[in-house]
Amino acid sequence: PAVFFRDNVEATRRLLEMSVAAGVRNFLHISSIAVGFSGEVSYPYGESKREAESLVAISGLHYLILRPTMIIGEKAPVLESLAKLAGAPLTPVFGDGKVKVQPLFVDDLLDCMFSVLSDGYFPNEALDLGGPQVLSMDELLEHIRLARRQGKARLVHVPVKLVLPLIALLEKAFLRLMPFTSG
């Protein structure tokens, strides 16, 4: 959590201060769809992104906040984490696996950013940004597994309420080793 708040909140605060001091008028901020996540367990990443967005909104600059979904590309952390799950002999899926996701290819995010900058589009709002394909979490894990030539996955649906307290406990000691968080 301390790293999230340092990297997302304090770095954004400093960039905004420097931008105002330099006479910058427009600010493009990359946030995360995670600002809208709510749940029973604290989600420090989402909270830090939400706080950073608040700083942007009160900065006095013209801004656009982009909230991408999971960003997919070579060596993308979320893809690597999901690949670890998908690569297991039995793939745990928290919940029923039907939750919808819209992975966003990193090049598409970059194209969007360049368009915003070249068009000068800063309407003082936040936009959610997802890829063109809507998949269930089960389908996404299957795609990842097949793309890595690991055959069809054996998905095991695990009730979230059953494992959430355990995951929250484990992440305190093993967060860097875990392919997911309680958030």
Side-chain angles (χ1 to χ4, degrees):
V3 172
F4 292 142
F5 281 87
R6 181 195 70 211
D7 292 354
N8 293 325
V9 179
E10 295 310 316
T12 299
R13 181 187 324 274
R14 186 71 182 117
L15 284 170
L16 289 165
E17 289 169 354
M18 291 168 38
S19 296
V20 169
V24 169
R25 293 179 302 172
N26 301 323
F27 196 86
L28 175 59
H29 181 71
I30 308 303
S31 185
S32 170
I33 197 87
V35 300
F37 293 177
S38 61
E40 299 167 14
V41 176
S42 173
Y43 188 33
Y45 177 76
E47 293 167 11
S48 70
K49 287 294 197 175
R50 196 169 21 260
E51 193 172 323
E53 281 191 18
S54 295
L55 294 173
V56 172
I58 64 169
S59 69
L61 299 172
H62 295 280
Y63 66 88
L64 177 64
I65 297 169
L66 294 178
R67 295 178 179 152
T69 59
M70 59 178 72
I71 301 170
I72 302 295
E74 188 177 337
K75 298 190 183 199
V78 70
L79 181 58
E80 294 302 316
S81 293
L82 290 171
K84 285 179 189 176
L85 279 178
L90 293 175
T91 302
V93 180
F94 301 103
D96 64 7
K98 294 179 183 172
V99 68
K100 299 295 183 190
V101 294
Q102 282 183 265
L104 179 64
F105 188 57
V106 66
D107 288 354
D108 292 337
L109 173 59
L110 292 171
D111 287 346
C112 180
M113 291 168 61
F114 287 127
S115 291
V116 165
L117 295 171
S118 66
D119 294 347
Y121 184 71
F122 296 92
N124 296 339
E125 63 183 35
L127 299 175
D128 294 345
L129 193 60
Q133 193 172 16
V134 179
L135 303 167
S136 71
M137 186 55 75
D138 282 356
E139 291 169 328
L140 178 59
L141 291 168
E142 286 280 352
H143 282 292
I144 292 169
R145 190 168 171 93
L146 292 173
R148 293 183 179 219
R149 294 183 172 88
Q150 295 172 311
K152 187 161 173 54
R154 289 191 216 134
L155 304 176
V156 177
H157 295 102
V158 181
V160 174
K161 290 186 180 202
L162 204 70
V163 295
L164 200 55
L166 176 63
I167 293 170
L169 183 66
L170 288 173
E171 73 185 7
K172 290 180 181 173
F174 303 108
L175 181 62
R176 291 180 189 250
L177 302 174
M178 295 175 67
F180 50 82
T181 69
S182 57

